[in-house]
Amino acid sequence: MSSQSVADELIARLHTWGVTRLFGYSGDGINPILGALRRSESGMSFVQARHEENAAFMAVAHSKYGLWQYADEHTADQNAAVDLGVMLATQGPGAVHLLNGLYDAKLDSMPVLAIVGQQNTTALGSGYQQELDLEAMFKDVAVYCEQITAPEQLHLVLDRAIRTALASSGPAVVIVPHDVQQADAAQPGTTHAQIPTAVVWEAPLVIPREPELKQAVKLLNESEKIVMLVGQGARGAAKEVHSVAQLLDAGIVTSLLGKPYVDESWPQAAGVMGHLGSTASAALLDACDLLLIVGSNDPWTEFYPPGARAKAIQIDINARRPGNRYPVDVALVADAAHTLRALEERLSPAQKRRKPWRDQVRAEVAKWRSVAARRALTPARPINPERVVHELSALIPPEAQVAVDVGSCVYWYARQLRLPPGVPAHLCSTLASMGAGVPYGLAAKLRDPRRPTIVLAGDGAMQMSGNAELVTLSELWKEWEDPRFIICVFNNRDLAEVSWEQRETEGEPRFRPSQDLPGFPFAEYAQMLGLSALSISNPDSIADAWEQALACDRPMLLEMHTDPNVPLLSPFPQGERTLENMRKGLKAEGQAGERALQLLEVYADMESTGKNSS
């Protein structure tokens, strides 16, 4: 191999693009790239996960937490760089393992890059060991996928992959056969079919058109009961969302992905919508006469205004989105912040006729917050999981960052955790893949080691892959400026979300062989790895445990022994329609379902409007 190979040039080009680290796992198909990274003086690091799937989740989270920072910086600095999440894997099984993370990026609209090894070009087509048709395999998930077959292709393919990932907000894949990695680097010439490219990308400035703005302003001025549905497309528009909501006396509900971009302390912030959302959000969406959707593609269509009776305006930078979930009257295809500022400039001053709606919004929000607190303090055996997150809300530092795994903990996060403004929180949302929580938290901490990081995860997700990445955590934390990294494990020995889904959607009893989880000593395991840990069974010890973790000089695992019988009841009125199914399933469980049935009735009583208002 010459002193400057294609692999060397690949690492150098990534550095020029501003890439700071690669997440992956080694294998013979990428040995030349790993050698180039070792030789490089770029300062780019390699983060070794315990599994390529977790490395892929880390890369996705790197982009998610980075785009939060980019949204803030880019306003002041038009040359702010996007530090793209990049994953690296060998051919065959390594490549296959990346798919879950790549689909997470696709479904949550996140730019990432996967660099994947391949067998030598001379062996392709022979059915060689670990030879897969990678281009066919990645076809569905990737916004761009190309195999490099000549050194002169490297800049063209890599530059186009990164630009496409950024421009399309999705995953790109570059496949590099082993012998091409070893080949001498070559710059493209100026002859036919030799294409020189440049490291350049700038986010487009997309502004709304005047005719649609006028239609939207007219509709907004005529409406009295306005709700804003805020999604992750409002990432850089939090101030504008608040200003327009105040002007319109609107209630604000969020998608799960939009939750971090709204100040949840505001008396008109009604919380998350959908199956895992708040009663206030369901009530307001049920009663509004106009829905202003800001950067959301939330799939919970049964929670939108019933019968599509409310008019709608949708703001989205992606022209494919307006009307995708709900019939809209006006589509504003543009950047959310610019569009909201343009609307604010044109809207009439606050209307007195909207005061009754504002009062109704605030009453629903206050009612929901009271219900949420009562839920959290409902006795359970031994701990109510809602209380675990409720107690965190009072203690979470304003500089924290949060990662959430998939399972029942998402419900408690959505309903009970009030994020301070500026605290990023992310999860594998649309794909909803278990096991992403600890990888997400690690990626967040590596991006900004100064911020305390909190991971919420169930015992099922920890057993699936979180425990493995605690090993990674035990290796990395000693280099961090702020060592605080808290993993809160909801240990109930049940795959609780699916258990409740079996009851709710099927009217079936919980199926023990599929839902029971083996016991695992999470706290002892963490201590064995040199981390701090507490095992909590007394609800009165929850707040003290959080305080200890937030003051600890090393990462801490909090093993919270929670009650699987606490119901995952969706907000009324929609949740009321599923009660009979849930009762049917629990009654079929006999004595085993009695406690859950009792709690379900308590929660249903709190949810119902008549009992709620007392």
Side-chain angles (χ1 to χ4, degrees), residues 62-92:
H62 184 91
S63 286
K64 286 185 175 181
Y65 289 93
L67 283 176
W68 171 288
Q69 184 178 6
Y70 178 76
D72 291 337
E73 293 178 351
H74 197 67
T75 304
D77 179 9
Q78 292 299 308
N79 294 313
V82 176
D83 184 2
L84 189 69
V86 181
M87 59 192 82
L88 178 64
T90 191
Q91 71 275 341

Side-chain angles (χ1 to χ4, degrees), residues 23-328:
F23 301 91
Y25 202 84
S26 63
D28 62 341
I30 52 172
N31 276 342
I33 295 174
L34 293 171
L37 184 60
R38 177 187 61 78
R39 291 188 296 272
S40 171
E41 298 179 357
S42 66
M44 194 184 307
S45 63
F46 179 76
V47 179
Q48 183 200 70
R50 310 275 62 78
H51 192 285
E52 290 95 348
E53 178 176 299
N54 296 335
F57 282 134
M58 290 178 189
V60 177
H62 184 91
S63 286
K64 286 185 175 181
Y65 289 93
L67 283 176
W68 171 288
Q69 184 178 6
Y70 178 76
D72 291 337
E73 293 178 351
H74 197 67
T75 304
D77 179 9
Q78 292 299 308
N79 294 313
V82 176
D83 184 2
L84 189 69
V86 181
M87 59 192 82
L88 178 64
T90 191
Q91 71 275 341
V96 173
H97 289 158
L98 296 180
L99 283 173
N100 224 24
L102 290 171
Y103 273 105
D104 178 22
K106 177 181 180 177
L107 271 60
D108 277 0
S109 300
M110 279 295 127
V112 293
L113 173 66
I115 298 172
V116 185
Q118 179 58 294
Q119 287 293 356
N120 288 350
T121 54
T122 53
L124 295 180
S126 70
Y128 208 72
Q129 183 185 26
Q130 294 189 330
E131 181 196 347
L132 302 178
D133 188 345
L134 296 180
E135 290 180 270
M137 186 178 80
F138 290 120
K139 181 180 179 181
D140 178 64
V141 71
V143 295
Y144 179 86
C145 179
E146 192 62 57
Q147 179 167 292
I148 297 173
T149 57
E152 291 81 1
Q153 265 186 296
L154 175 66
H155 288 182
L156 161 67
V157 171
L158 193 61
D159 293 351
R160 189 170 183 187
I162 292 174
R163 276 196 297 270
T164 306
L166 293 170
S168 303
S169 298
V173 179
V174 173
I175 303 162
V176 195
H178 188 270
D179 54 341
V180 175
Q181 296 173 42
Q182 293 176 316
D184 291 346
Q187 301 296 322
T190 56
T191 58
H192 178 67
Q194 298 251 347
I195 305 173
T197 58
V199 175
V200 59
W201 182 80
E202 181 61 48
L205 175 61
V206 185
I207 58 176
R209 299 194 310 177
E210 192 63 33
E212 284 76 19
L213 276 175
K214 288 180 179 178
Q215 293 177 46
V217 168
K218 182 176 185 295
L219 201 51
L220 287 164
N221 283 334
E222 291 172 351
S223 302
E224 295 185 8
K225 301 178 179 181
I226 301 171
V227 167
M228 296 176 71
L229 168 57
V230 177
Q232 68 168 335
R235 185 183 298 113
K239 293 177 183 177
E240 290 81 2
V241 165
H242 186 71
S243 295
V244 169
Q246 283 186 305
L247 183 60
L248 296 173
D249 280 329
I252 297 179
V253 303
T254 75
S255 68
L256 189 61
L257 289 173
K259 177 178 167 73
Y261 307 116
V262 168
D263 181 353
E264 296 186 298
S265 67
W266 193 49
Q268 284 163 236
V272 174
M273 76 165 289
H275 189 275
L276 42 62
S278 73
T279 303
S281 71
L284 296 181
L285 287 166
D286 189 61
C288 70
D289 63 6
L290 188 138
L291 181 62
L292 175 56
I293 305 171
V294 184
S296 174
N297 192 37
D298 196 287
W300 293 108
T301 52
E302 66 268 36
F303 288 85
Y304 285 78
R309 66 187 179 210
K311 294 189 177 297
I313 300 164
Q314 187 164 356
I315 301 168
D316 206 295
I317 202 166
N318 187 332
R320 293 176 295 180
R321 296 268 168 77
N324 191 44
R325 304 294 189 193
Y326 186 86
V328 301

Side-chain angles (χ1 to χ4, degrees), residues 496-514:
E497 182 175 13
V498 177
S499 293
W500 281 100
E501 287 170 344
Q502 287 172 347
R503 298 156 177 155
E504 179 185 12
T505 62
E506 314 303 329
E508 292 276 354
R510 178 180 178 274
F511 184 45
R512 289 187 59 189
S514 74

Side-chain angles (χ1 to χ4, degrees), residues 562-597:
T562 57
D563 190 342
N565 295 308
V566 172
L568 274 64
L569 181 62
S570 59
F572 283 18
Q574 290 83 355
E576 199 163 16
R577 300 169 197 146
T578 65
L579 269 176
E580 279 311 309
N581 256 7
M582 297 172 95
R583 288 170 177 146
K584 177 184 173 184
L586 287 167
K587 288 175 182 176
E589 293 174 26
Q591 187 175 358
E594 287 179 2
R595 173 64 180 161
L597 184 58

